[in-house]
Amino acid sequence: MTPLLQVKDVAKMYGARIGCTDVSFDLYPGEVMGIVGESGSGKSTLLNCLAGHLAPDRGEVVFDTRAEGPVDTVTMSEPARRMLGRTDWAFVHQHARDGLRMSVSAGGNIGERLMAVGDRHYGDIRARAADWLGRVEISDARIDDRPSAFSGGMQQRLQIARNLVTGPRLVFMDEPTGGLDVSVQARLLDLVRGLVREMGLSAIIVTHDLAVVRLLADRLMVMKDGHVVETGLTDQVLDDPQHGYTQLLVSSVLQV
Amino acid sequence: MSDYNFAYLDEQTKRMIRRAILKGLAVPGYQVPFASREMPMPYGWGTGGVQVSAATLTPEDTFKVIDQGADDTTNAVSIRKFFERTAGVATTEETEKASVIQTRHRIPEAELTEDQILVYQVPIPEPLRFLEPRETETRKMHALQEYGLMHVKLYEDISQHGAIATSYAYPVKVSDRYVMDPSPIPKFDNPKMEMAAIQLFGAGREQRIYAVPPYTSVVSLDFEDYPFEASKADHPCDLCAAEDSYLDEVILDDAGNRMFVCSDTDYCRSRREAGHVGRLGEEAAA
């Protein structure tokens, strides 16, 4: 089986400081990969390099495209990379405001990606927007409301709908549950887990919340100071941490 | 005349503007930056159009200025006077006799010919501006032809109003490449943009010039199930009885009486001279 995404020795420097370095892994179709680490450990830098928002200084990010098979997205042309960003890739931001157009209605937000890939039938676009609102548990009576009238949890679910409407194969998530209270988090995680299984999505989830990766991720990568210090199956890493930092991380979780 | 250089601007400035115009004609719909000069009128009064006209005019030209179709409104009168004084060119109110026509918010009803140049005054040249505030991003979107966002605006129109409610400055795609703001002309005028005359657009404050060469395709954006419609008030002109011209609505009194008249004053006048009389035409003549 061809990996969906092959990351080979990716590094990003900020001047003399290390953003992230020596990162290599393969992601297979349907697999969910978690990246955990403390603030400043380079996990968001890595995610932005993988998603094409930042240009890495070194390394390859090879994506298995539908048309041409495995292609290095770092060296591919910008139009092609932006096209991937609208079709086969999705990016869920920590703050829904960064990923949504706040002055455009919920339906317009979901429809934007459809229109960006050439959909020009209003009725179809609206029907698919309504369908996706339903799938993320937002009443379709709110299709013409602006996201600014939505609660934080609803905004985050709307952002997910907006990203998944074009049927991407790889989803990047940057702290998708950050800033939400625990009951809303639980619903969101439940929803994401359902969508990932149902659509056979691959996902890379960056978080500092170990509970999120325990629920969603098949595999786990622990980062510290720009380096990957431990990788493995999620349960294995969390239940039997080998590296000193991972042991600290696991033991730092508050028990209720 | 004449302590001014011909048409007010110095020759180097006109040369710079002509280069921008030529580039604009070579890449239809592309917004060419130019070093817009301070003109002796406020921004929003046609400083861009005036600079394009100044660079386009020759001493042999006949010049016409319209504002919302009318030759006799403040903006039109002051710009016409400006060029009478600084260029000494002949001016006219008749569309057919003009070789350069500067316009604000209308295209004349009479069909333009290959010997004419139409200069538009443009307030905001970037059609994506209110959807994407970053200039760096909109330039990239133009470069990569990422125009999905333009349809988001039309989608919002339909979802809020049940139809595409954008009635002026209706976005068009030029020569199947660039999406362009046609300046705030009513969408009734959009189909006329595929014409024989050269169309030049000047935005003074925003420092952009763009152009549509003769016989270039200009397609108004729409949805398959909500096609573009060139709409106008459903009335004949009350002065000249024209059914095919764009109309202004004029309130007559407090009792709800109103009249519809051609916004193109030259078209209306020539029709009345040819003997056409509308509903209120007799009273107006008296």
Side-chain angles (χ1 to χ4, degrees), chain B residues 91-164:
Chain B
T91 55
T92 179
E93 293 195 359
E94 288 173 52
T95 306
E96 289 82 359
K97 288 188 181 158
S99 54
V100 178
I101 304 171
Q102 180 169 337
T103 175
R104 172 176 177 268
H105 303 186
R106 265 320 301 279
I107 295 175
E109 302 291 352
E111 196 169 325
L112 301 183
T113 66
E114 289 178 4
D115 301 325
Q116 293 177 308
I117 297 175
L118 187 59
V119 178
Y120 295 78
Q121 303 171 197
V122 182
I124 294 171
E126 177 52 72
L128 301 161
R129 175 59 66 243
F130 293 110
L131 302 156
E132 174 53 67
R134 288 168 295 177
E135 176 73 15
T136 49
E137 188 64 20
T138 54
R139 281 199 208 182
K140 191 165 276 182
M141 290 160 82
H142 281 294
L144 303 181
Q145 274 189 285
E146 290 180 2
Y147 290 132
L149 198 52
M150 208 68 247
H151 274 87
V152 173
K153 178 182 151 59
L154 301 180
Y155 170 95
E156 289 287 283
D157 260 9
I158 301 173
S159 70
Q160 282 169 27
H161 307 289
I164 298 178

Side-chain angles (χ1 to χ4, degrees), chain B residues 154-213:
Chain B
L154 301 180
Y155 170 95
E156 289 287 283
D157 260 9
I158 301 173
S159 70
Q160 282 169 27
H161 307 289
I164 298 178
T166 303
S167 56
Y168 65 94
Y170 192 102
V172 293
K173 194 166 205 178
V174 179
S175 194
D176 205 25
R177 175 62 183 82
Y178 283 97
V179 165
M180 184 186 92
D181 182 342
S183 88
I185 59 171
K187 66 178 171 184
F188 173 79
D189 283 343
N190 273 19
K192 291 192 218 160
M193 295 187 80
E194 291 185 1
M195 62 164 73
I198 293 175
Q199 299 171 78
L200 305 175
F201 298 78
R205 180 180 44 207
E206 304 285 329
Q207 314 199 322
R208 294 288 185 277
I209 284 172
Y210 50 103
V212 178

Side-chain angles (χ1 to χ4, degrees), chain A residues 78-79 82 86 101 103-105 107-108 112 115-116 119-126 129 143-144 146, chain B residues 130-133 137 140-141 144 146-149 151-152 154-156 158-160 222-226:
Chain A
E78 190 178 11
R82 283 171 71 112
R86 293 200 296 272
R101 289 194 190 277
S103 57
V104 168
S105 71
E112 181 180 343
M115 292 181 250
D119 213 326
R120 292 289 180 267
H121 192 284
Y122 175 82
D124 289 351
I125 293 168
R126 199 168 168 82
I143 191 167
D144 292 330
R146 292 187 174 179
Chain B
F130 293 110
L131 302 156
E132 174 53 67
E137 188 64 20
K140 191 165 276 182
M141 290 160 82
L144 303 181
E146 290 180 2
Y147 290 132
L149 198 52
H151 274 87
V152 173
L154 301 180
Y155 170 95
E156 289 287 283
I158 301 173
S159 70
Q160 282 169 27
D222 59 3
F223 285 104
E224 287 160 13
D225 46 347
Y226 285 85

